[in-house]
Amino acid sequence: PFPIPHQSTKMKTQILAIGGAAIPEDLGNLLLIEYFLSLTPKKNPRVCFIGAAHGDADMGRLRFYAGFSQFNCIPSHLPLFARTPRDLESFVLEHDAIYVGGGNTRSMLAVWREWSLDVHLRKAWERGVVLGGASAGSICWFEQGVTDSVAGPLTAMPCLGLLTGSNCPHYDSEALRRPTYRKMVAGGKILDGVAADDGAALHFVDGKLLRAVSARPRAKAYRLMRSGKRAVEKALPTRYLAKR
């Protein structure tokens, strides 16, 4: 139901960076999850959840299973705090999509690097495995992200660099996100980049933004660019997924 560019013999790399609220508590609006699953070429894709940003907490994992089980897919999860698979690379590569949950991005990336998961995820991405997630699972793929991993004011942090520029999630739901990101961009403290409201997502193909989509009528995505001593914010055309 959600067409993507024609697949050539070269595998396309895909990332869906979600601003937040992709799996609401009542499971009443799973349009972004449906869209994420549609990006794989499989009718019954194998999808893995990584919840390291929340220390593999039960709540995030259970919500993942509750949400993804509404669709034709084979859900699983990767534990990094208990009985982690011995051959982590093979485990990652056997999936069609990887979904990363939210939480503390800095701690998550530290754990990933300890296990060389960052290397394995890059290899999976290059082989056509669809990557995505919300909040920490959004900013981690960019060169830089706006994070609340450290107590106090929001800060900029280096991430994996699969996508160029910076990213800010929760653009409409957390009062300090928008002004802080704009100030960071204007002051050159973070690279130009993109932001997404809760319920909105940015779909990248081969490292370039293909489209912005949303599960809520008013949820939007934005591009921010530094111009002189200020940040220029431009709302991106955002497709409301219910209109199809």
Side-chain angles (χ1 to χ4, degrees), residues 7-24:
Q7 296 281 348
S8 65
T9 54
K10 176 183 176 297
M11 296 301 295
K12 291 184 178 295
T13 63
Q14 295 192 84
I15 292 177
L16 188 69
I18 303 172
I23 309 177

Side-chain angles (χ1 to χ4, degrees), residues 80-129:
L80 288 172
F81 292 87
R83 302 188 63 81
T84 302
R86 186 177 301 274
D87 187 350
L88 199 51
E89 179 179 354
S90 295
F91 179 88
V92 169
L93 292 176
E94 72 184 13
H95 290 88
D96 303 300
I98 306 288
Y99 185 87
V100 177
N104 190 308
T105 311
R106 184 171 178 175
S107 295
M108 178 185 79
L109 291 180
V111 172
W112 284 12
R113 288 169 178 137
E114 177 64 26
W115 286 95
S116 298
L117 183 58
D118 55 330
V119 177
H120 304 326
L121 287 171
R122 179 180 286 272
K123 180 177 288 187
W125 175 64
E126 291 171 344
R127 293 189 181 185
V129 176

